[in-house]
């Protein structure tokens, strides 16, 4: 890094409708799965911070829940998380999928952003008080001519500071996104140690991994009724005290809203829990830094998505 290129650091809130590729983009930029991804909408339920550190910048990417019309108290709390993330951000990345038309949901988000971070000048043009980056995702689904038309459409949709097309799945233009994000941040010091890639605690990372694995495995209507909480982590005693011989037993509660949903989570002969344990063994061992095993139990918390006390207990505060 030269003296003319001073270090930049800060927070970028990644927003958009549910299922537009927010988590996929963040994982592609970080190079590791710090946020769970799923084709099912409303996968993200908290502001997950992925931290990208380079020689000239540290970009803290805040993966926010998809902005939507809330149907439950949980939905409203998720929207509140987005509001808090936006307030704390230095820039906003607004994701718009290339394979879909901009619609009412996108216009609602734009109106929300304008009301908080923009004003009209004497010519009636919107002027932003923090950079708004338009990110056109899933460009691998369009031909070159279709992409040109889409970029024109997005340019007319809002007064973006920058517009960048990307395919996170194909790793197309990911490096350009990184450069644009860094250029929109203020000059400042490194905020986290260089090796840090996520703000999530081991318990939070593990609970999200488990929920993500079950989202991939289960049918469409159940995932929103599922909450995962790591209750306790027990460490085994070893005779010689060597770290590489320690083991961790992770106690996990899987909450559903109705008793009839328990067998769906379990599967025949608890096959779904066995699947999760096998799928996540290596990832959880890496997070814990030792051999680990999961002890999972399915519990019922009636209509927890609309129960304030249950939401508090499950960590949606």
């Amino acid at each position: 890094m030269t003296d003319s290129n001073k270090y930049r650091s800060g927070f970028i809130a990644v927003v958009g409708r549910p299922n537009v590729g927010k988590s996929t983009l963040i994982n592609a930029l970080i190079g590791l799965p710090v946020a769970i991804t799923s084709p099912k909408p409303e996968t993200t339920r908290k502001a997950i911070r992925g931290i990208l550190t380079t020689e000239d910048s540290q970009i803290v990417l805040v993966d926010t829940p998809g902005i939507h019309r809330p149907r439950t108290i949980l939905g409203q709390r998720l929207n509140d998380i987005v509001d808090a993330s936006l307030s704390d951000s230095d820039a906003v990345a607004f994701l718009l999928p290339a394979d879909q038309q901009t619609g009412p949901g996108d216009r609602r988000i734009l109106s929300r952003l304008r009301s908080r971070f923009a004003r009209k000048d004497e010519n009636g043009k919107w002027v932003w008080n923090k950079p708004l980056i338009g990110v056109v995702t899933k460009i691998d689904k369009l031909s070159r001519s279709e992409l040109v038309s889409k970029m024109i459409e997005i340019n007319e949709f809002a007064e973006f500071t920058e517009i960048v097309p990307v395919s996170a799945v194909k790793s197309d233009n990911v490096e350009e996104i990184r450069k644009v994000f860094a250029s929109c941040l203020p000059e400042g010091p490194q905020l986290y140690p260089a090796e840090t890639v996520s703000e999530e605690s081991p318990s939070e990372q593990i609970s999200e991994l488990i929920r993500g694995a079950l989202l991939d495995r289960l049918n469409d209507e159940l995932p929103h009724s599922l909450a995962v909480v790591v209750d306790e982590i027990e460490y085994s005693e070893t005779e010689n005290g060597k770290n590489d011989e320690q083991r961790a037993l992770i106690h996990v509660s899987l909450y559903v809203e109705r008793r009839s949903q328990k067998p769906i989570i379990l599967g025949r002969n608890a096959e779904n829990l066995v699947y999760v344990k096998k799928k996540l063994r290596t990832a959880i061992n890496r997070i814990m830094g030792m051999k680990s095993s999961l002890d999972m139990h399915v519990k019922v918390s009636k209509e927890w998505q609309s129960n304030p006390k249950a939401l508090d207990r499950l960590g949606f505060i």
Side-chain angles (χ1 to χ4, degrees):
M1 184 175 64
T2 66
D3 291 339
S4 61
N5 296 321
K6 293 186 178 180
Y7 202 83
R8 294 179 179 273
S9 63
F11 296 81
I12 295 182
V14 182
V15 304
R17 287 184 286 109
N19 203 28
V20 295
K22 297 183 293 294
S23 299
T24 303
L25 176 62
I26 288 176
N27 290 343
L29 284 163
I30 303 297
L32 292 169
V34 296
I36 62 173
T37 60
S38 171
K40 301 177 179 68
E42 298 176 40
T43 299
T44 301
R45 285 181 176 166
K46 59 178 69 176
I48 296 173
R49 291 177 175 175
I51 303 162
L52 173 61
T53 304
T54 68
E55 290 185 356
D56 59 4
S57 65
Q58 187 171 76
I59 307 168
V60 185
L61 299 157
V62 186
D63 183 15
T64 63
I67 299 174
H68 61 290
R69 288 189 183 278
R71 300 181 301 275
T72 62
I73 297 176
L74 172 63
Q76 183 55 58
R77 291 195 182 185
L78 296 184
N79 279 350
D80 291 343
I81 289 172
V82 177
D83 286 340
S85 299
L86 288 170
S87 297
D88 295 338
S89 68
D90 297 290
V92 178
F94 186 175
L95 271 59
L96 296 153
D99 61 338
Q100 300 174 31
Q101 293 293 318
T102 53
D106 300 306
R107 289 190 288 273
R108 189 163 57 248
I109 294 170
L110 179 61
S111 176
R112 189 171 180 172
L113 293 172
R114 281 174 171 167
S115 68
R116 299 187 62 182
F117 307 117
R119 59 176 177 79
K120 282 189 176 181
D121 64 14
E122 61 275 10
N123 298 315
K125 182 179 179 181
W126 288 101
V127 179
W128 297 94
N129 61 23
K130 64 174 67 178
L132 179 68
I133 308 156
V135 180
V136 184
T137 62
K138 307 182 182 183
I139 62 172
D140 54 293
K141 298 181 180 293
L142 300 186
S143 67
R144 183 174 294 275
S145 62
E146 288 173 332
L147 179 57
V148 170
S149 298
K150 187 65 179 181
M151 294 293 286
I152 293 171
E153 175 194 330
I154 298 299
N155 186 56
E156 294 173 349
F157 175 66
E159 299 82 359
F160 290 109
T161 308
E162 298 257 9
I163 301 176
V164 191
V166 66
S167 170
V169 171
K170 300 290 186 180
S171 297
D172 185 5
N173 224 31
V174 171
E175 179 58 21
E176 181 62 24
I177 287 277
R178 187 201 68 78
K179 292 178 181 177
V180 170
F181 282 0
S183 71
C184 290
L185 294 178
E187 292 179 8
Q190 189 173 298
L191 303 170
Y192 297 86
E195 66 275 9
T196 304
V197 297
S198 175
E199 253 194 1
E200 301 291 284
S201 69
S203 291
E204 290 170 327
Q205 292 179 57
I206 291 166
S207 65
E208 284 294 279
L209 282 175
I210 293 170
R211 192 167 66 88
L214 287 168
L215 284 176
D216 288 340
R217 179 112 173 141
L218 301 174
N219 56 36
D220 289 338
E221 65 270 13
L222 185 60
H224 303 304
S225 300
L226 174 65
V228 181
V229 177
V230 173
D231 299 313
E232 182 185 8
I233 300 178
E234 285 187 67
Y235 298 93
S236 63
E237 298 292 334
T238 57
E239 292 182 5
N240 54 17
K242 291 183 179 179
N243 288 335
D244 59 0
E245 294 184 6
Q246 284 187 328
R247 298 184 67 92
L249 177 60
I250 303 164
H251 298 279
V252 181
S253 294
L254 310 175
Y255 289 95
V256 292
E257 293 189 301
R258 298 188 298 276
R259 188 168 298 277
S260 61
Q261 294 170 333
K262 287 184 69 173
I264 300 175
I265 293 288
L266 291 167
R268 186 185 299 273
N269 298 320
E271 63 182 0
N272 291 336
L273 303 190
V274 173
Y275 163 82
V276 169
K277 290 178 180 180
K278 289 181 178 179
K279 178 180 176 66
L280 300 182
R281 181 181 294 124
T282 299
I284 291 176
N285 287 347
R286 186 179 298 118
I287 290 170
M288 295 301 301
M290 63 184 70
K291 290 184 178 179
S292 306
S293 56
L294 294 173
D295 174 39
M296 295 184 286
H297 296 273
V298 184
K299 302 177 181 180
V300 177
S301 180
K302 189 175 180 181
E303 304 299 335
W304 66 262
Q305 294 184 80
S306 295
N307 184 327
K309 290 184 178 179
L311 288 168
D312 292 345
R313 188 173 64 251
L314 296 175
F316 298 103
I317 298 174

